[in-house]
């Protein structure tokens, strides 16, 4: 008597077991992945802010005219510039950052916010406009 042929494919039980394993793995990995993504975005914002200040420093040196950076350019004067950060990110300076015509910066402190919550504190200690994180 010939044996009955089995149909190719997976049983419902096998599929449910695989789905349960995938659900448990994603429950373990997702929180760590989101935390890592948040840290990466914080670094991106820091380096983008630093790049914009460096660009303004080069512009001040090239044009031989001072540049003022302020979180609220309207309050700092008509020539003041603002740095652009991604949506939901903002910053506050303890005073406007003045970049001289020679590309030299005054010391300034900055605080960066995400959705209104403080994320990092920055300090520009040297005259080269480089910020250092003070978290």
């Amino acid at each position: 008597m010939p044996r009955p042929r089995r149909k190719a494919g997976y049983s419902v039980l096998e599929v449910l077991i695989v789905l349960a394993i995938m659900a448990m793995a994603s429950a373990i990995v997702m929180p760590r992945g989101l935390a890592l993504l948040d840290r990466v975005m914080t670094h991106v914002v820091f380096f983008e802010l630093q790049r914009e200040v460096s660009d303004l420093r080069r512009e001040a040196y090239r044009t031989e005219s001072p540049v003022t950076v302020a979180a609220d350019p309207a309050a700092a004067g008509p020539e003041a510039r603002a740095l652009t950060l991604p949506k939901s990110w903002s910053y506050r300076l303890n005073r406007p950052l003045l970049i001289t015509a020679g590309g030299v910066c005054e010391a300034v402190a900055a605080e960066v916010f995400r959705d209104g919550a403080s994320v990092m504190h920055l300090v520009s200690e040297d005259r080269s406009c480089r910020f250092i994180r003070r978290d």
Side-chain angles (χ1 to χ4, degrees):
M1 181 164 171
R3 285 167 87 182
R5 288 182 63 177
R6 291 188 74 192
K7 293 183 179 179
Y10 299 105
S11 69
V12 172
L13 183 60
E14 291 170 326
V15 171
L16 288 176
I17 290 172
V18 169
L19 289 175
I21 291 171
M22 289 174 59
M24 287 190 308
S26 65
I28 293 169
V29 171
M30 283 300 283
R32 288 186 148 283
L34 292 175
L36 179 64
L37 186 63
D38 192 44
R39 259 195 322 223
V40 167
M41 187 61 186
T42 301
H43 287 295
V44 166
V45 168
F46 170 73
F47 288 118
E48 183 64 24
L49 186 135
Q50 185 65 54
R51 185 194 60 77
E52 284 192 47
V53 171
S54 294
D55 288 348
L56 290 173
R57 181 177 181 228
R58 279 191 296 278
E59 178 185 325
Y61 184 78
R62 188 185 77 238
T63 61
E64 297 180 1
S65 58
V67 174
T68 303
V69 178
D72 183 14
E79 298 296 320
R81 309 269 187 90
L83 304 174
T84 55
L85 298 179
K87 187 177 178 182
S88 77
W89 289 83
S90 61
Y91 67 96
R92 180 176 59 208
L93 299 169
N94 65 338
R95 63 178 174 187
L97 171 64
L98 176 64
I99 305 171
T100 66
V104 176
C105 293
E106 296 179 355
V108 68
E111 191 170 7
V112 180
F113 301 93
R114 181 177 188 182
D115 296 323
S118 178
V119 175
M120 64 182 130
H121 300 278
L122 307 174
V123 178
S124 171
E125 293 180 336
D126 59 2
R127 299 166 53 105
S128 66
C129 303
R130 294 188 60 211
F131 285 97
I132 301 168
R133 286 185 68 166
R134 301 280 184 192
D135 293 331

